[in-house]
Amino acid sequence: MRLKRLYTNQPELFSPIVFNDGLSAILAEIRIPANRTLDTHNLGKTTVGSLIDYCLLRSKAKDFFLFRHEALFQRFTFYLEVEISGGKFLTISRPVDPGSRVDLVLTDESVPDVTQLDDLNWSHTNLAFSRAKLLLDGMLGIEALKPWGFRKLVGYLIRSQRDYMDVFQLGKFSGKHQDWKPFVAHVLGMDAQPVIDLYGKREELAATEAHLAALTREWGGESASASVLDGLISVMRRDVEAKSDSLDTFSFREEDSRKTTDLVEQTELRISALNEESYRLSQLAVRLDESLAESQVIFRTEDAERLFREAGISFGDQVVRDYRQLVEFNRAITEERRQVLEAQRVEVSTRLGEIDRELIEFNLERTRSLEFLREADSLQKYKELSQELVSQRAELKSLEVRRAAVERLLELRREERAIKEQYGHLETEVEALIGALSSDEESRFGQLRRYFTEIVHEVLGQNAVLAIKMNSRGGLEFAAEFIGDGGTATSGDQGTSYKKLLCIAFDLAMLRTYLDVEFPRFVYHDGAFEQLEPRKREKLLGVFREYADLGIQPIVSLLDSDLPASLGTSASTLTREEVVLTLHDEGDDGRLFRMSAW
């Protein structure tokens, strides 16, 4: 598949671009000296790649320039003719209004202008966008990309400036890794299905872990025990059944017996224990109050000094100082002890208050139980028992719901263990695939790696490698790195121009690797020569021409200042035949669209 021509139904505003079978260049000449210092010139050299992408059925988006300025472009229909297998020619017609409709015409010979064809000569007209993509995939017949469609590869065939930041992860690949890494693995020659399964299983594991964590937080699953809950449910069901039987038979003997047992074994014992604790704490409170009253320093040096003076005995300064220090030391110890005693006193008071409240509750419970036992009116007992039954049934239902949640937690844990085991097997399988692929120099990956290394070394005189590896999270990592003399990765790939060269080298090496099957043969690199030294530009131009001789169609856009030498002056620079479109900054006629900049 090669590009033949790009044109519109508005030739007075957009000149047709006829691509060479080999190297094609979109050259922007800066003729006004003052414009050479500008970062952007708005001539349209970058836009050519966007229009090719649009004609190859890029999805309609509001931020795309054709729709962002729809009033300017709504009259336009763009046509892209491509040569496909079997020597046939396919023209894709893509109007701006509506941008969701496509026309296709398949011919045995190249058609310079399909606007001259009758409607009957078109193969498909007014196609819905999804239908057009399906038909285009079928017509292109790129079996090597299956199960993916042609559009998945376009990002590597049309590199915009934002796609030079990473060799493998394009600007449009901003979603989950499973959306693009299996595809890259496939292009590199791996069996994609295990990789697809690996990322699918990882997604399944993440969803199960998230569900398990949410259910654990909601139901306290970390401490819940199915066996304990089963025991509680059994006891509660027995009580509910007993109460139900009592209500059904209008007999309260068993309930009276249970109330008596609860009153004696639980309520009375608890009241007794609380009273005993209250008495013990009250005694402790008295002792603490006494200790606090005694924790005072009653010795005063002034009084001692006066007493000694009255007795006619000298009370020297040193003695005063020693006694005062002793008093201060004693006061510090006393104050610390007092703080401990006061804290203990607060704890005792707090606990006594809690005991009083608990005694009130248990005494009320005892009163209610005694009233129930003394109650002679069966209807009143029936009413009270009915209320208790409703409450217990609600509690039983809550326990059963909790038990079901615990069962779901257990089930999820079993699923998690099973998924982790399956995930581990897939990791092992993918690791084995990587090892076998990497060690085989004749594999598609081995060839791609060799071509990639040759291009980088030819242009930069440095070594670089491609690598596939598993990361610590169980996913694939793709690396394109420069290698130092010691055989270790260097930071040379961090520079913008060198990163761009790694991307260009990968794209060309990939196309060369697939020369043996039906596959795209074109690649578009925007600003390919920018920021490179003149000698490296010459080397890169030589690589483009070498790959053009192999049957690949490189298309590059550049400023005239990025040429290794003036156009057509030597073999080390572009020839005039290689330039398929010249743009310039001397008025609107020099722009891609011959109109004012938008």
Side-chain angles (χ1 to χ4, degrees):
M1 173 193 174
R2 293 183 182 84
L3 307 186
K4 298 300 292 182
R5 57 175 52 85
L6 173 67
Y7 57 103
T8 77
N9 63 339
Q10 306 288 331
E12 70 282 2
L13 296 176
F14 186 101
S15 296
I17 303 173
V18 180
F19 298 101
N20 297 323
D21 288 341
L23 176 62
S24 298
I26 313 296
L27 179 65
E29 296 180 343
I30 307 303
R31 300 174 180 176
I32 300 176
N35 289 340
R36 291 193 176 277
T37 59
L38 299 178
D39 292 330
T40 58
H41 303 89
N42 296 322
L43 299 180
K45 70 179 182 63
T46 299
T47 307
V48 174
S50 299
L51 290 173
I52 295 171
D53 192 9
Y54 180 70
C55 289
L56 291 174
L57 305 192
R58 169 181 176 156
S59 296
K60 181 178 179 180
K62 291 182 179 179
D63 60 345
F64 190 57
F65 80 95
L66 292 177
F67 304 106
R68 193 169 64 246
H69 308 284
E70 192 165 2
L72 285 175
F73 297 105
Q74 61 183 357
R75 295 178 298 151
F76 278 81
T77 297
F78 294 88
Y79 305 96
L80 179 67
E81 185 183 49
V82 297
E83 183 179 1
I84 61 176
S85 61
K88 294 184 178 296
F89 296 86
L90 172 66
T91 298
I92 305 162
S93 169
R94 185 91 188 268
V96 175
D97 184 20
S100 57
R101 291 289 166 175
V102 180
D103 302 324
L104 301 173
V105 58
L106 184 65
T107 58
D108 293 329
E109 296 181 355
S110 177
V111 180
D113 187 358
V114 293
T115 61
Q116 305 301 316
L117 293 178
D118 295 332
D119 290 343
L120 293 177
N121 291 326
W122 283 81
S123 307
H124 303 278
T125 58
N126 201 31
L127 288 169
F129 192 70
S130 57
R131 175 65 176 164
K133 288 176 68 175
L134 190 64
L135 281 173
L136 181 60
D137 269 326
M139 290 178 173
L140 296 179
I142 306 176
E143 296 292 324
L145 288 179
K146 288 186 176 180
W148 288 277
F150 167 75
R151 281 296 311 175
K152 199 74 171 179
L153 187 68
V154 170
Y156 298 98
L157 302 177
I158 305 173
R159 288 265 190 178
S160 64
Q161 293 293 336
R162 70 171 188 160
D163 292 322
Y164 291 128
M165 299 307 296
D166 190 280
V167 172
F168 304 98
Q169 186 172 5
L170 304 176
K172 67 177 182 177
F173 287 162
S174 57
K176 297 179 180 179
H177 286 185
Q178 66 193 58
D179 294 335
W180 64 274
K181 284 192 173 181
F183 174 74
V184 174
H186 176 76
V187 170
L188 292 177
M190 286 185 66
D191 181 0
Q193 193 56 52
V195 181
I196 295 172
D197 294 342
L198 176 71
Y199 277 95
K201 193 60 65 175
R202 188 165 81 164
E203 187 77 4
E204 185 182 353
L205 178 59
T208 301
E209 289 175 340
H211 191 186
L212 182 58
L215 206 58
T216 298
R217 287 193 302 269
E218 182 179 354
W219 292 101
E222 293 296 338
S223 59
S225 167
S227 181
V228 171
L229 288 173
D230 287 338
L232 291 174
I233 290 171
S234 178
V235 171
M236 188 61 68
R237 282 176 178 167
R238 185 192 63 198
D239 289 347
V240 167
E241 290 173 1
K243 281 186 172 62
S244 296
D245 290 342
S246 296
L247 290 173
D248 290 342
T249 60
F250 214 68
S251 171
F252 306 109
R253 178 181 300 174
E254 184 176 343
E255 193 60 25
D256 286 345
S257 175
R258 187 187 65 78
K259 286 282 186 181
T260 302
T261 300
D262 288 347
L263 182 62
V264 173
E265 293 184 357
Q266 297 181 26
T267 309
E268 292 290 356
L269 287 176
R270 187 59 180 152
I271 289 174
S272 176
L274 289 172
N275 282 328
E276 183 178 343
E277 185 180 1
S278 177
Y279 175 78
R280 179 175 55 79
L281 291 175
S282 296
Q283 292 299 312
L284 177 58
V286 170
R287 292 195 297 274
L288 289 172
D289 289 340
E290 291 174 353
S291 297
L292 287 170
E294 293 172 357
S295 300
Q296 299 179 8
V297 179
I298 60 174
F299 180 84
R300 295 183 178 85
T301 55
E302 295 82 0
D303 294 343
E305 186 178 3
R306 187 175 60 254
L307 179 62
F308 271 69
R309 190 169 54 249
E310 291 173 356
I313 301 172
S314 175
F315 196 64
D317 290 342
Q318 181 60 41
V319 175
V320 172
R321 229 176 358 256
D322 290 345
Y323 268 105
R324 282 178 177 169
Q325 289 176 354
L326 179 60
V327 169
E328 288 302 322
F329 177 69
N330 190 38
R331 180 177 287 113
I333 295 176
T334 302
E335 182 60 28
E336 184 177 350
R337 179 171 177 269
R338 184 180 186 83
Q339 289 176 359
V340 173
L341 292 174
E342 286 178 345
Q344 191 174 2
R345 183 65 176 86
V346 170
E347 291 179 3
V348 169
S349 297
T350 301
R351 180 55 186 153
L352 283 171
E354 294 173 351
I355 289 173
D356 287 342
R357 289 190 291 272
E358 289 185 47
L359 283 171
I360 291 172
E361 288 295 324
F362 279 108
N363 280 312
L364 286 174
E365 178 62 26
R366 179 172 62 181
T367 301
R368 286 193 293 267
S369 298
L370 289 172
E371 286 176 354
F372 183 88
L373 293 173
R374 290 194 298 266
E375 181 60 58
D377 186 355
S378 295
L379 289 176
Q380 183 62 26
K381 289 186 177 182
Y382 186 90
K383 179 181 177 181
E384 293 181 14
L385 199 57
S386 296
Q387 291 175 344
E388 291 182 8
L389 182 59
V390 170
S391 177
Q392 285 188 331
R393 279 177 172 166
E395 187 175 351
L396 175 60
K397 182 64 176 177
S398 176
L399 286 171
E400 289 173 341
V401 170
R402 187 175 177 81
R403 178 63 178 85
V406 170
E407 182 60 34
R408 179 58 181 148
L409 279 173
L410 295 174
E411 181 182 344
L412 281 173
R413 288 187 180 120
R414 289 191 293 269
E415 289 180 10
E416 182 186 32
R417 287 193 294 271
I419 293 171
K420 282 183 176 179
E421 183 178 357
Q422 295 165 5
Y423 185 57
H425 290 320
L426 285 169
E427 281 186 291
T428 301
E429 182 179 356
V430 172
E431 282 179 336
L433 284 174
I434 293 173
L437 188 71
S438 183
S439 62
D440 184 1
E441 287 291 334
E442 298 307 314
S443 67
R444 203 171 290 280
F445 176 70
Q447 296 177 46
L448 196 159
R449 179 175 56 194
R450 183 168 65 254
Y451 301 147
F452 171 83
T453 301
E454 289 174 355
I455 293 172
V456 175
H457 191 270
E458 172 64 22
V459 177
L460 300 179
Q462 296 186 37
N463 291 317
V465 297
L466 294 178
I468 313 172
K469 54 189 176 182
M470 297 286 290
N471 59 34
S472 59
R473 299 180 302 279
L476 284 184
E477 290 289 345
F478 308 104
E481 301 172 315
F482 288 101
I483 299 298
D485 294 337
T488 58
T490 69
S491 59
D493 62 336
Q494 299 304 309
T496 303
S497 60
Y498 280 21
K499 274 189 176 181
K500 180 183 295 186
L501 184 62
L502 291 179
C503 295
I504 293 172
F506 174 79
D507 298 339
L508 291 172
M510 174 186 65
L511 295 185
R512 183 175 178 180
T513 302
Y514 282 91
L515 283 174
D516 61 324
V517 295
E518 185 60 38
F519 207 75
R521 299 284 185 259
F522 79 93
V523 62
Y524 183 98
H525 289 121
D526 181 33
F529 297 95
E530 289 178 8
Q531 300 178 349
L532 287 175
E533 299 171 3
R535 182 58 180 162
K536 292 181 173 60
R537 293 172 187 169
E538 291 181 24
K539 293 287 188 180
L540 181 56
L541 179 59
V543 169
F544 281 133
R545 285 171 172 164
E546 175 190 350
Y547 274 70
D549 291 340
L550 292 172
I552 293 170
Q553 184 187 35
I555 304 170
V556 298
S557 68
L558 71 160
L559 296 171
D560 57 350
S561 58
D562 294 327
L563 286 169
S566 298
L567 181 66
T569 58
S570 69
S572 62
T573 190
L574 286 174
T575 66
R576 297 189 182 279
E577 291 75 22
E578 289 169 331
V579 177
V580 297
L581 176 66
T582 301
L583 307 172
H584 61 78
D585 59 348
E586 291 182 331
D588 293 344
D589 286 345
R591 302 180 189 277
L592 179 66
F593 289 93
R594 291 194 287 274
M595 60 176 72
S596 299
W598 56 84

